[in-house]
Amino acid sequence: MSEEPTVIADGEAVGTGTLGKAMAVLEAVVMADGPQRFTDILARSGQPRGTLHRLLSHLVEEGLLVQRRDLCYEPGLRLLTLAYRSWSGNRFRDVAEPHLRSLHELTGETVHLGILRETEIVYVDKVESRQTVRMSSQIGKASPAYCTGIGKAALSLLPQLELERLVAGMAFHAFTPHTHRSAESLLAEIADIRRDGHAFDREEHEIEIRCVAAPIRVSGSDLTAGISVTGPAYRVSMEQLIAWSGAVRTAAAAIGEEAAIRLGPGRGGP
Amino acid sequence: MSEEPTVIADGEAVGTGTLGKAMAVLEAVVMADGPQRFTDILARSGQPRGTLHRLLSHLVEEGLLVQRRDLCYEPGLRLLTLAYRSWSGNRFRDVAEPHLRSLHELTGETVHLGILRETEIVYVDKVESRQTVRMSSQIGKASPAYCTGIGKAALSLLPQLELERLVAGMAFHAFTPHTHRSAESLLAEIADIRRDGHAFDREEHEIEIRCVAAPIRVSGSDLTAGISVTGPAYRVSMEQLIAWSGAVRTAAAAIGEEAAIRLGPGRGGP
DNA sequence: AATCAAGTTCCACATATCGGAACAAAGAAA
DNA sequence: TTTCTTTGTTCCGATATGTGGAACTTGATT
């Protein structure tokens, strides 16, 4: 619900040769709101007509897109299948899962696992109580790092130089009145997070939603991640979050250590 | 658990030009069991060294693969994100969802929604009771059509010629003692399914698992799909499945009609 | 009929890909 | 240590592929 208007002006130089262009077009279609006509994509992608047409044909042949009878393009099923395999084969998630569960047992609230990718957090797993909501609703979702608990926690692990590089590239969109609006305030909070070992989301991404998060570092790997406990403001006070912060830090540390062992030595067991 | 040994000998002529090769390599890595070394992929993909190396670099640059410190390649997060968008933006699933829920209310067992892609069924949604199991465990999973209820139901909607073309390309792997072993027996059952309007899975894919399924046809679209109610044999008798078959057919028909309306006229509402 | 827009096809040209072979780096054996 | 072997990376000329402007359908609208 807190989605930007996003006109997606394709930004700067498109990616790696041919594949880069194909992926840019694919993304333009997938990230759009509904089925896309040829002309829509033409405008959005900036590619010349002939080129675009060929790219789309290839994407359809590969099953990454589907062309409907009315000529609209939609995401194809192959994406789902690829993602299914890469998710169910993800060992890091596998290691983390029991810890997410026990954190959920303890708190009764929703627990997330997220991985930092550049300037965004990608949610990789989730344990929640009431399954009235769509089940895997968030898996694969990417949110800005600067306004999420996990995001800020993960950022706090980066070397200062790297951090500053990333922050420089952020566009601070004000999702709520509490969202960080500048690099300075974000960097200041990250300094605190480094000291405390945990981060809060004080209704910064979505109003009425709070969380407490802790960063995960896996020695020997360069992935940066985090976990969080999230709840609605009416049920979860800041005091409550502070009370949980120790458990969250402990769980995060445990995941980090276990992952370092199970992910390190080659491609290990089952 | 019922996985083939699959040495994936890349089959015949690789796909559409450059993109096709890239996707073949990507798939080789994603479908493999664990992190893959360069040499593993070299053997599996059949590409020459130089070419493969460049392809892998590009896939990494695009975020479709990740190269770890130990040089192993793994699926990248971008796949998850793409799949998240294409799943949550899928209107067909959206239309079907309430029907899946009410079918679940009625039966108390797990309900699946699947779409036919060539000779496989791809699971697109799932409603289950106990969430002790991994939540979205099946979304995106592809199973052979000939040994699943939804698969056989969906096949029954195809024109005979198309059906025979597909069946000709199937390799009948015997997952259980009850799995179809030949085109003849499959085609015979499909004739029955056309007559009855529903299909059963009599422990054909996994032992101790049964289901009843009905096909979904969406007029004006060329997608072929199905829904099923699945349960463990000890709890769900064949008589029980027969008793549910009417409700399953009704739900399938309702989904088909509603989808025809909501998917037809352009790119519709919210 | 005439007009306009959307989508598809064509083809001379440029360039990204191809893939063998040489090169570097890291282990394993001697 | 030195030598041998295995694994990963880089190079570069030949050429297949992709490029993109323009011409050509198709079909809706006036």
Side-chain angles (χ1 to χ4, degrees):
Chain A
M1 293 304 134
S2 45
E3 212 72 41
E4 304 175 55
T6 37
V7 193
I8 304 183
D10 133 22
E12 50 270 0
V14 253
T16 316
T18 309
L19 179 63
K21 275 180 197 158
M23 291 306 298
V25 170
L26 175 61
E27 188 136 332
V29 176
V30 171
M31 292 305 176
D33 286 324
Q36 295 289 103
R37 310 180 78 69
F38 181 85
T39 318
D40 300 329
I41 309 170
L42 186 62
R44 197 183 300 259
S45 72
Q47 298 287 342
R49 301 168 76 82
T51 303
L52 180 63
H53 192 264
R54 182 175 34 77
L55 284 174
L56 287 170
S57 307
H58 287 177
L59 287 166
V60 168
E61 280 179 73
E62 286 300 322
L64 297 168
L65 291 179
V66 176
Q67 185 166 28
R68 314 190 310 184
R69 289 240 196 92
D70 64 357
L71 304 184
C72 278
Y73 292 90
E74 281 182 331
L77 289 176
R78 195 173 179 189
L79 286 171
L80 269 194
T81 304
L82 286 169
Y84 164 71
R85 290 292 312 209
S86 68
W87 186 79
S88 64
N90 184 314
R91 292 251 295 298
F92 177 64
R93 196 216 71 239
D94 215 50
V95 166
E97 204 229 303
H99 298 275
L100 304 190
R101 287 200 182 282
S102 59
L103 214 45
H104 171 68
E105 300 269 305
L106 174 71
T107 63
E109 298 293 342
T110 301
V111 179
H112 279 112
L113 172 69
I115 298 179
L116 185 69
R117 179 184 58 186
E118 289 290 297
T119 172
E120 289 181 322
I121 277 292
V122 178
Y123 295 103
V124 170
D125 208 345
K126 176 181 186 179
V127 177
E128 61 188 329
S129 31
R130 40 195 64 217
Q131 69 160 9
T132 43
V133 198
R134 290 236 43 70
M135 40 184 200
S136 63
S137 50
Q138 309 266 78
I139 304 295
K141 178 171 182 179
S143 300
Y146 64 85
C147 63
T148 55
I150 297 183
K152 293 185 292 182
L155 288 176
S156 80
L157 286 189
L158 298 178
Q160 186 67 18
L161 218 68
E162 174 71 357
L163 173 63
E164 281 167 9
R165 184 184 69 80
L166 286 182
V167 170
M170 290 179 183
F172 292 87
H173 175 78
F175 291 99
T176 80
H178 307 95
T179 311
H180 278 290
R181 249 163 261 276
S182 71
E184 292 69 41
S185 71
L186 175 62
L187 288 172
E189 191 190 349
I190 285 178
D192 293 345
I193 296 170
R194 282 182 176 143
R195 167 170 44 78
D196 301 335
H198 58 252
F200 297 103
D201 171 352
R202 302 175 176 85
E203 311 185 38
E204 295 162 47
H205 187 34
E206 208 165 330
I207 204 73
E208 288 297 307
I209 298 289
R210 293 190 181 127
C211 89
V212 55
I216 301 175
R217 156 173 288 150
V218 182
S219 83
S221 160
D222 36 7
L223 84 72
T224 310
I227 52 175
S228 68
V229 176
T230 307
Y234 74 84
R235 194 165 61 204
V236 177
S237 64
M238 283 304 296
E239 289 70 34
Q240 180 62 270
L241 290 182
I242 293 171
W244 285 336
S245 63
V248 176
R249 280 202 311 277
T250 308
I255 294 172
E257 283 168 34
E258 205 172 316
I261 296 167
R262 305 247 318 257
L263 265 59
R267 40 236 176 93
Chain B
M1 308 307 135
S2 45
E3 212 72 41
E4 305 173 55
T6 37
V7 192
I8 305 182
D10 134 21
E12 50 270 2
V14 253
T16 316
T18 310
L19 180 62
K21 275 179 197 158
M23 291 305 299
V25 170
L26 175 60
E27 189 137 331
V29 175
V30 171
M31 292 305 177
D33 285 324
Q36 295 288 104
R37 310 177 78 66
F38 181 84
T39 318
D40 299 330
I41 309 171
L42 186 62
R44 196 183 303 258
S45 72
Q47 298 287 345
R49 300 168 77 83
T51 303
L52 179 65
H53 192 263
R54 180 177 34 79
L55 285 174
L56 287 170
S57 307
H58 288 176
L59 287 167
V60 169
E61 280 178 72
E62 286 300 323
L64 297 169
L65 291 179
V66 175
Q67 185 166 28
R68 312 190 312 183
R69 290 240 195 89
D70 64 357
L71 304 184
C72 278
Y73 292 90
E74 279 182 333
L77 289 176
R78 195 172 179 190
L79 286 171
L80 269 193
T81 304
L82 287 168
Y84 164 71
R85 289 293 312 210
S86 68
W87 186 80
S88 64
N90 185 314
R91 291 248 296 300
F92 177 64
R93 197 215 72 240
D94 215 50
V95 166
E97 204 230 301
H99 298 276
L100 303 191
R101 286 199 183 284
S102 57
L103 214 45
H104 172 68
E105 300 269 307
L106 173 71
T107 62
E109 297 294 343
T110 301
V111 179
H112 279 112
L113 171 69
I115 297 179
L116 185 69
R117 178 183 60 186
E118 289 290 297
T119 172
E120 289 182 322
I121 277 292
V122 179
Y123 295 103
V124 168
D125 208 345
K126 177 182 185 177
V127 176
E128 61 188 327
S129 32
R130 41 194 65 216
Q131 69 158 10
T132 42
V133 197
R134 292 239 40 73
M135 39 184 202
S136 62
S137 49
Q138 308 265 79
I139 304 295
K141 179 171 181 179
S143 300
Y146 65 84
C147 63
T148 55
I150 297 184
K152 292 186 292 180
L155 288 176
S156 80
L157 286 188
L158 297 178
Q160 186 66 20
L161 217 68
E162 174 72 357
L163 173 64
E164 280 167 9
R165 185 185 68 80
L166 287 182
V167 170
M170 291 179 181
F172 293 87
H173 175 78
F175 292 98
T176 80
H178 307 96
T179 311
H180 278 291
R181 248 165 264 275
S182 72
E184 292 70 42
S185 70
L186 175 62
L187 288 171
E189 191 190 348
I190 286 179
D192 293 345
I193 296 170
R194 282 182 176 145
R195 166 169 45 78
D196 301 335
H198 58 252
F200 296 105
D201 171 352
R202 302 174 176 85
E203 311 186 39
E204 295 161 46
H205 186 34
E206 208 163 331
I207 204 74
E208 287 296 308
I209 299 289
R210 292 190 181 127
C211 90
V212 55
I216 301 176
R217 155 174 287 149
V218 182
S219 83
S221 160
D222 36 7
L223 85 72
T224 309
I227 52 176
S228 68
V229 176
T230 307
Y234 74 85
R235 193 165 61 204
V236 177
S237 63
M238 283 303 297
E239 289 69 35
Q240 181 61 270
L241 290 183
I242 292 170
W244 285 335
S245 64
V248 176
R249 280 203 310 276
T250 308
I255 294 172
E257 283 169 34
E258 205 173 315
I261 296 168
R262 304 248 317 259
L263 266 59
R267 42 239 179 91

